[in-house]
């Protein structure tokens, strides 16, 4: 963790003022807070000032303190506490903040820091020769499950290897940082397991309950009397033997009640065995199984031949490299195709991908419409953020 102090005097400009647009924005932001609570605007104002100047200067802190009627030291405390505020000039194209907290450190953060030292500058918070890149180590950024990771300005880049970080730094240096996908850099959807879901998945059998028919026990097998069942055993305790035969839930409850009533003192008369009945209830395994829709189904969206220009479907939140490959196999290559899906087609694709409604939940249609209409710029206009 770097020491957080204001930049040396030679870097400090004499004064600071918001430009016209930012000044109006600052006034509107301050008005959002109730009377007497205007100081709550300190973080947004400092952030806006940083976006305007590139870093937070002493004059900025003084200006914000005066505007919010706060003591200078209070604003300084905020600016020096949060690592999203830069206290000295940083790289104009990228400032790489490498998380060095335990999970990231265990997963290779030190190797990432070596990359930064080699490619940018030996020391943190020192811009490279061109002033375009800089780096520093920061504390946990809340993406530990996808460790190791870095933050560049407002975006996180996760599941990094040294080689991938080098590629990312090169892209920013070339002014192509916006083309790099944010978030996980491997085949992982957000913070889901690597390689796809491993739970709530039709390939996984539900946990067996003691009310579920046990196939290895014959339907008419004689049940063990309760007194026998109650005897201590060397092995792990078993489920009530009466319930090991296939009975419906109400029957099992009835059987339990009966057994309780009839249970004799240990070593006396045997209890009447409870008769088992074949179940008529579908097992959870069969009731939860969902069939993959047929490729010949009339609701399957129409595929096309691979066009010369293929859209990057991974820009749609919820589509990773694996899903994109499956969509290509179905002849889906463009945002316009996805945007045109009717409800029945969405349901078909959802079922085919075993998504359980995720296409609608992630609103693929609205995302695809924006991307088809105006690419990333339109997406940002509609959703207020870059596509993933
Ligand atoms: S430890 Fe690196 S993001 Fe939490």
């Amino acid at each position: 963790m770097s020491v957080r102090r204001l930049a040396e005097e030679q870097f400090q400009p004499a004064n600071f003022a918001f430009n016209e647009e930012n000044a109006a924005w600052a006034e509107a932001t301050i008005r959002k807070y109730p009377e007497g609570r205007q100081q709550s605007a300190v973080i947004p104002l400092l952030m806006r000032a940083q976006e305007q100047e590139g870093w937070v200067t002493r004059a900025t802190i003084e200006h914000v303190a005066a505007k919010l009627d706060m003591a200078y030291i209070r604003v300084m405390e905020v600016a020096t506490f949060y690592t999203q505020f830069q206290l000295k000039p940083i790289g104009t194209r990228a400032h790489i903040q490498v998380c060095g907290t335990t999970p990231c450190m265990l997963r290779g953060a030190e190797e990432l820091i070596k990359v930064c030292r080699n490619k940018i500058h030996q020391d943190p918070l020192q811009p490279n020769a061109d002033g375009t890149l800089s780096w520093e180590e920061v504390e946990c950024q809340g993406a530990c499950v996808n460790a190791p990771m870095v933050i560049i300005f407002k975006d996180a880049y996760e599941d990094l290897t040294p080689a991938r970080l080098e590629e990312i730094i090169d892209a920013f240096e070339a002014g192509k940082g916006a083309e790099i996908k944010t978030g996980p850099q491997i085949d992982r959807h957000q913070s889901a397991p690597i390689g796809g879901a491993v739970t709530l998945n039709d390939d996984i059998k539900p946990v067996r309950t003691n009310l579920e028919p046990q196939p290895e026990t014959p339907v008419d097998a004689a049940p063990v009397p309760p007194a026998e069942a109650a005897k201590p055993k060397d092995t792990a305790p078993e489920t009530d033997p009466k319930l090991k035969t296939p009975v419906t839930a109400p029957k099992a409850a009835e059987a339990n009640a009966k057994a309780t009533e009839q249970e004799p003192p240990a070593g006396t008369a045997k209890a009447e065995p409870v008769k088992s009945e074949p179940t008529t209830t579908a097992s959870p395994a069969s009731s939860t199984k969902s069939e993959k829709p047929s490729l010949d189904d009339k609701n399957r969206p129409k595929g096309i031949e691979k066009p010369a220009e293929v859209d990057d479907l991974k820009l749609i939140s919820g589509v990773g490299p694996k899903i994109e490959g499956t969509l290509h196999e179905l002849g889906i290559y463009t945002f316009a195709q996805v945007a045109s899906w009717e409800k029945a087609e969405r349901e078909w694709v959802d079922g085919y991908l075993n998504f359980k409604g995720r296409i609608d939940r992630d609103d693929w249609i609205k995302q695809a419409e924006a991307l088809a209409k105006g690419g990333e710029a339109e997406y940002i206009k509609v959703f207020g953020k870059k596509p993933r």
Side-chain angles (χ1 to χ4, degrees), residues 99-105 138-145 147-149:
C99 172
T101 304
T102 313
C104 282
M105 195 52 89
V138 292
E139 299 300 327
C140 179
Q141 299 292 305
C144 326
V145 73
M149 59 82 70

Side-chain angles (χ1 to χ4, degrees), residues 35-46:
E35 197 50 44
R37 294 283 185 267
Q38 280 66 31
Q39 296 180 357
S40 302
V42 63
I43 287 181
L45 259 59
L46 282 172

